[in-house]
Amino acid sequence: MWDYLAPQAPHDIKDASAGAVMACGLLDLSRATGEPRYREEALKLLTALSETCLTRKSTRADAVVARCTRNRPSEDGIEISLPYADYYLLEGILRVLRPDDIDRAIDLSTV
């Protein structure tokens, strides 16, 4: 999540990990406030990530999400995959599909 307000936006390097994290945050916000608009925006983000940032047909891909950026100002980790992008994308999808299981998903003591 190098910067939500990139200086050259919308033409700068993308960061899919920021979108995945933001989607989960918006789902939490929707649940906490009861505001459906946050959930709607989260669904837009998750859909966009699924349509444009998944690794497909790549023999080099060791991840689910591509097009992530670790540190744009230092030119470190540009257009790579990051493990937390995979985590938050899958977490977001689970929160949408199984919202009643959120607490159980993060509390592994009952497994």
Side-chain angles (χ1 to χ4, degrees), residues 10 15 18 20 22-23 28 30-31 36-37 40 51-53 59 62 67 79 82 92 94 96 98 101 108:
D15 184 4
M22 178 66 83
D28 285 346
S30 177
R31 189 172 177 143
R37 63 189 168 128
E40 292 165 12
E51 290 175 350
T52 64
C53 296
T59 57
D62 293 328
R67 303 190 71 200
E79 293 283 324
L82 295 168
L94 284 174
V96 170
R98 302 194 62 170
D101 291 339
L108 300 178

Side-chain angles (χ1 to χ4, degrees), residues 53-91:
C53 296
L54 298 185
T55 55
R56 297 180 183 180
K57 299 178 186 174
S58 173
T59 57
R60 301 178 320 166
D62 293 328
V64 176
V65 181
R67 303 190 71 200
C68 300
T69 300
R70 183 177 32 237
N71 187 344
R72 174 72 165 102
S74 296
E75 296 294 323
D76 175 43
I78 307 297
E79 293 283 324
I80 61 170
S81 292
L82 295 168
Y84 51 88
D86 291 354
Y87 171 84
Y88 281 103
L89 175 67
L90 296 175
E91 178 74 17

